[in-house]
């Protein structure tokens, strides 16, 4: 009798442990909603960039939509580019840690300033909005008023035009691509921050630099600089900015230079090894976010072009930007 009771107790305990394990598994599974997010967890959204910058503003704009539409609690983590990329690489692949990354992720890897390989060390969740418009600003007394005139001057004066840019940032690669396309040679001058470039252009210390659309308008209207064109993604027009702007703001493609574009997308990444089903759901959720009127308008307001791509197209665009950046890096001597 005692033996029978003991067997029954063991069976009961085994059943309870099995049932409890099943419940815990079911609970863990149910925490990942149809949206792909772990609704019972706080989402860590890493911001690899400075406060108030384009990446920061884009992430917080999207984050507002994630909270409003999916009820997510978000922990924003502001970090430098390199630290932010490494943090996401080292995180658990459960979807609780993601980031929005720009061309800096690619440029830092191929130039050796970061060990995070965007193609192998992370999970690409979505390719999103175009990083917008890079306005080419020059001093008000520059001997050129249009991009055509600038190009003629640059060809006649190789190496004499001082172009302000970071040592190896996205603007460096943008100017490098223009040098490749047009066969010109610029003198690269260190000017990492946009605020520095604005001051240096206004003071005539550099001959050309890239500034954001908002600053281009305000400084131009104040008579502190002039705009000779804009560099943007393939097929992008200045009208896509949602602003009424004069012809001098037209993209170089609109000005007749078909090859003069630069891919500079925003990518949502998670750690390597994420569940493919969860990634598909997350990709679809970011489509909902980008198409939300409030988020869409917010991205346009900060100068971005709201876009969304499925996983197949996202990977194709990522690889295209990576290969184009690598080729430009080699031509600049920044990559072996």
């Amino acid at each position: 009798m005692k033996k029978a009771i003991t067997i029954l107790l063991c069976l009961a305990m085994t059943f309870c442990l099995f049932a409890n394990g099943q419940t815990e598994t079911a609970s863990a599974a149910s925490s990942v909603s149809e949206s792909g997010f772990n609704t019972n967890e706080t989402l860590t959204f890493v911001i690899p960039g400075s406060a108030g910058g384009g990446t920061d503003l884009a992430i917080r704009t999207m984050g507002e939509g994630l909270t409003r539409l999916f009820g997510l609690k978000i922990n924003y983590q502001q970090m430098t580019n390199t630290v932010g990329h490494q943090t996401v690489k080292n995180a658990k692949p459960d979807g609780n840690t993601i980031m929005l990354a720009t061309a800096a992720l690619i440029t830092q890897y191929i130039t050796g300033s970061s060990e995070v390989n965007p193609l192998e060390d992370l999970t690409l969740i979505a390719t999103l909005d175009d990083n917008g418009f890079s306005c080419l600003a020059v001093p008000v007394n520059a001997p050129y008023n249009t991009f055509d005139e600038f190009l003629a001057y640059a060809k006649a004066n190789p190496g004499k035009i001082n172009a302000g840019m970071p040592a190896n940032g996205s603007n460096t690669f943008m100017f490098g691509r223009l040098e490749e396309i047009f066969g010109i040679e610029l003198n690269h001058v260190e000017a990492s921050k946009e605020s520095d470039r604005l001051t240096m252009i206004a003071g005539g210390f550099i001959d050309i630099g890239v500034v954001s659309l908002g600053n281009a308008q305000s400084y131009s209207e104040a008579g502190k600089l002039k705009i000779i064109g804009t560099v943007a993604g393939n097929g992008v027009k200045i009208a896509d900015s949602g602003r009424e702007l004069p012809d001098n703001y037209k993209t170089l493609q609109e000005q007749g230079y078909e090859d003069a574009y630069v891919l500079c997308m925003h990518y949502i990444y998670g750690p390597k090894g994420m569940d493919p089903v969860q990634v598909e759901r997350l990709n679809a959720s970011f489509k909902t976010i980008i198409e939300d009127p409030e988020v869409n308008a917010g991205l346009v307001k900060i100068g971005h072009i709201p876009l969304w791509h499925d996983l197949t197209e996202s990977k194709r665009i990522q690889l295209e930007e990576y290969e184009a950046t690598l080729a430009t890096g080699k031509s600049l001597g920044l990559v072996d």
Side-chain angles (χ1 to χ4, degrees):
M1 184 67 178
K2 289 182 178 180
K3 184 176 181 180
I5 292 173
T6 300
I7 292 173
L8 287 172
L9 285 171
C10 289
L11 288 172
M13 289 175 66
T14 300
F15 176 78
C16 288
L17 288 170
F18 175 78
N20 186 55
Q22 289 290 93
T23 301
E24 288 180 358
T25 301
S27 175
S30 64
S31 69
V32 179
S33 66
E34 287 300 313
S35 68
F37 293 104
N38 296 309
T39 54
N40 296 338
E41 303 285 343
T42 296
L43 176 69
T44 295
F45 210 150
V46 173
I47 305 174
S50 58
T55 303
D56 181 27
L57 295 175
I59 286 175
R60 294 181 189 276
T61 299
M62 293 178 193
E64 182 280 325
L66 290 171
T67 298
R68 175 165 44 83
L69 298 176
F70 298 115
L72 297 178
K73 295 180 180 179
I74 301 178
N75 173 29
Y76 296 102
Q77 290 285 315
Q78 196 102 38
M79 303 176 181
T80 63
N81 282 325
T82 306
V83 174
H85 302 158
Q86 190 69 44
T87 297
V88 176
K89 175 187 175 181
N90 295 340
K92 292 181 179 179
D94 54 10
N96 290 339
T97 302
I98 62 173
M99 71 175 171
L100 184 149
T102 64
L105 175 61
I106 299 174
T107 60
Q108 288 181 355
Y109 175 70
I110 66 174
T111 57
S113 60
S114 170
E115 296 181 354
V116 180
N117 185 335
L119 301 181
E120 297 181 4
D121 296 335
L122 301 165
T123 296
L124 178 63
I125 295 171
T127 298
L128 297 181
D129 55 310
D130 191 301
N131 204 25
F133 303 90
S134 298
C135 296
L136 299 174
V138 302
V140 291
N141 62 349
Y144 31 80
N145 295 305
T146 67
F147 186 77
D148 286 343
E149 293 176 357
F150 166 80
L151 198 54
Y153 187 89
K155 289 182 177 181
N157 298 275
K160 294 182 179 180
I161 293 180
N162 295 321
M165 64 190 81
N168 61 355
S170 58
N171 287 342
T172 310
F173 282 78
M174 188 208 75
F175 275 118
R177 178 159 172 76
L178 295 183
E179 288 177 287
E180 279 185 280
I181 294 170
F182 298 114
I184 59 176
E185 180 185 348
L186 303 174
N187 180 36
H188 296 200
V189 177
E190 175 65 29
S192 299
K193 296 180 180 179
E194 182 169 340
S195 58
D196 292 339
R197 292 194 295 276
L198 288 165
T199 300
M200 293 169 78
I201 295 168
F205 300 107
I206 58 176
D207 302 309
I208 190 169
V210 171
V211 301
S212 62
L213 195 55
N215 280 330
Q217 282 186 277
S218 60
Y219 274 71
S220 177
E221 290 170 0
K224 296 181 178 180
L225 52 74
K226 53 189 178 184
I227 304 301
I228 60 172
T230 303
V231 182
N234 191 14
V236 174
K237 297 180 179 180
I238 196 63
D240 295 329
S241 68
R243 309 181 188 203
E244 292 187 10
L245 296 164
D247 287 349
N248 57 302
Y249 281 86
K250 284 185 175 181
T251 67
L252 298 190
Q253 278 193 325
E254 289 181 284
Q255 294 187 39
Y257 301 103
E258 288 300 315
D259 294 331
Y261 68 88
V262 175
L263 286 177
C264 191
M265 309 299 287
H266 275 160
Y267 300 93
I268 298 292
Y269 286 101
K272 181 179 179 179
M274 290 179 62
D275 177 14
V277 174
Q278 183 182 25
V279 175
E280 287 279 1
R281 292 179 179 179
L282 290 171
N283 177 270
S285 291
F286 273 98
K287 181 176 188 289
T288 301
I289 291 299
I290 293 298
E291 293 179 348
D292 175 72
E294 291 186 32
V295 173
N296 199 283
L299 292 172
V300 170
K301 185 177 180 180
I302 61 176
H304 294 177
I305 304 168
L307 299 168
W308 169 87
H309 302 275
D310 63 27
L311 283 174
T312 299
E313 187 68 2
S314 290
K315 292 174 182 177
R316 184 195 68 76
I317 294 171
Q318 177 205 38
L319 184 59
E320 182 182 355
E321 182 172 349
Y322 181 92
E323 291 179 341
T325 305
L326 181 61
T328 300
K330 288 180 178 179
S331 73
L332 289 170
L334 297 174
V335 182
D336 295 332

